[in-house]
Amino acid sequence: MRMKRILSLIIITALIASVFTVFSLNTAAEDVDIEDTGADNTLTIICRNQVLGEVEVGSEFIYQVALNSAGYTVTGGQGELRYDDRYVSIVEHGDKRSDGTINMNTYSFPTRIRNTNLVTNYLGRKNKAVYNFAKFGGVGSFTEDDHYFKIRLKAIKSGTVEITHYTTCIYADKDTKLIYEDASNRQLDPIPYIIRTVEPAQGYVGDADGDWNLTVMDATYLQRISAGEDLTYNEVSADADSNGKVDLLDSLNVLRYHAGKQTKGKIGEWVFASEQ
């Protein structure tokens, strides 16, 4: 009898010890999770030590370049966008050619360039996007208020990344090249100036819970909002049917989107103020 009691005590002690061990492991795991989720989820974009903007990881943003050509008509140009693909990725907009390269002419360049008969090429390389264009007679001059080149990128990692644009432009009315921030040993003809800006997205339509993903959980989140729960949300993203209000119809639109049914509004689109 005494031996049974001793064995019972040993078993109970072992069970209690195992419970505390599991509890400790779970607590440690929870602590790690808390630290991970508490990490900064922001990517800072810089150029030449100047901060251009901050965006949330997982979101898309526009990198835009404005060129002042000092009043000269531009007959052609070539340029490079340099970046670090550990932090950002180029979002493909444009027509894919048979060789797999992307023709960004339909998005990256202003109307007066892309709607003319000039030759435009765009090549994606490791940490670099390269383009060139040419038009006999020129495409006019550019000012600092003009959109010269722009591209959409996606933030994929928090931290700080430098994105730099290098360009060479050929003028129509004199035999010269204007080179901006190219190799250090190149001669700069009258220096224009380039303004680079970063524009975060106003929202991702249908992404009600704000995680920069469009899932069926967004439909549930919209139902909770409609039921009166005090939840935070981005109105541009939560208005899944783009009718100017957030209600149960938005939840239905998200469900239809995932079911492959016909939807309303701009669901699944990134919205930028400059493109409205």
Side-chain angles (χ1 to χ4, degrees):
M1 188 71 175
R2 187 177 178 183
M3 182 62 68
K4 287 183 178 180
R5 287 181 179 177
I6 293 173
L7 288 173
S8 298
L9 286 172
I10 291 172
I11 292 171
I12 291 170
T13 302
L15 287 172
I16 291 173
S18 64
V19 168
F20 274 111
T21 301
V22 172
F23 178 80
S24 299
L25 290 172
N26 287 342
T27 303
E30 287 173 2
D31 287 343
V32 171
D33 289 342
I34 290 171
E35 290 177 2
D36 288 345
T37 55
D40 187 10
N41 199 43
T42 301
L43 176 65
T44 301
I45 296 97
I46 64 170
C47 183
R48 303 287 181 178
N49 297 317
Q50 176 186 356
V51 175
L52 300 182
E54 293 183 344
V55 295
E56 292 185 31
V57 173
S59 68
E60 291 186 14
F61 63 95
I62 291 177
Y63 184 92
Q64 182 165 309
V65 175
L67 168 70
N68 186 340
S69 66
Y72 294 109
T73 296
V74 177
T75 60
Q78 60 189 38
E80 292 183 10
L81 182 79
R82 300 180 187 176
Y83 60 97
D84 187 334
D85 62 9
R86 293 175 301 173
Y87 294 90
V88 297
S89 61
I90 292 179
V91 178
E92 295 182 352
H93 289 269
D95 302 320
K96 184 168 285 189
R97 301 188 183 94
S98 59
D99 63 358
T101 59
I102 301 297
N103 178 10
M104 295 291 289
N105 187 31
T106 57
Y107 182 79
S108 291
F109 302 98
T111 302
R112 58 183 152 150
I113 291 181
R114 67 173 180 250
N115 288 351
T116 56
N117 60 352
L118 73 168
V119 177
T120 302
N121 294 308
Y122 181 96
L123 302 173
R125 296 175 180 168
K126 177 69 174 175
N127 292 321
K128 185 185 298 185
V130 182
Y131 68 87
N132 63 77
F133 68 90
K135 184 181 188 305
F136 182 76
V139 293
S141 62
F142 291 88
T143 72
E144 63 271 18
D145 297 323
D146 286 329
H147 150 213
Y148 168 74
F149 172 84
K150 71 175 183 179
I151 192 166
R152 284 195 198 185
L153 299 105
K154 184 172 185 176
I156 57 179
K157 181 181 177 181
S158 62
T160 301
V161 64
E162 182 166 26
I163 304 177
T164 304
H165 181 267
Y166 297 76
T167 188
T168 300
C169 289
I170 303 173
Y171 288 159
D173 35 8
K174 68 174 187 173
D175 184 21
T176 186
K177 286 186 177 181
L178 178 152
I179 303 166
Y180 189 81
E181 291 190 348
D182 203 342
S184 58
N185 62 342
R186 301 292 293 274
Q187 178 65 41
L188 296 175
D189 259 332
I191 300 176
Y193 60 93
I194 285 182
I195 299 174
R196 302 175 183 83
T197 62
V198 165
E199 180 185 1
Q202 287 186 307
Y204 180 35
V205 181
D207 171 34
D209 60 12
D211 65 353
W212 301 119
N213 290 295
L214 187 47
T215 68
V216 292
M217 295 305 296
D218 293 301
T220 302
Y221 201 83
L222 285 163
Q223 291 169 8
R224 293 172 62 191
I225 292 171
S226 300
E229 287 194 46
D230 186 18
L231 300 174
T232 59
Y233 61 90
N234 177 321
E235 290 190 12
V236 173
S237 297
D239 183 13
D241 58 9
S242 309
N243 70 349
K245 55 185 178 181
V246 178
D247 53 27
L248 278 174
L249 293 177
D250 296 304
S251 178
L252 177 60
N253 208 41
V254 172
L255 292 174
R256 291 183 64 84
Y257 176 85
H258 286 288
K261 304 292 185 181
Q262 184 176 1
T263 57
K264 296 181 179 180
K266 299 180 179 179
I267 188 168
E269 295 183 18
W270 293 85
V271 176
F272 296 90
S274 65
E275 296 182 350
Q276 300 307 301

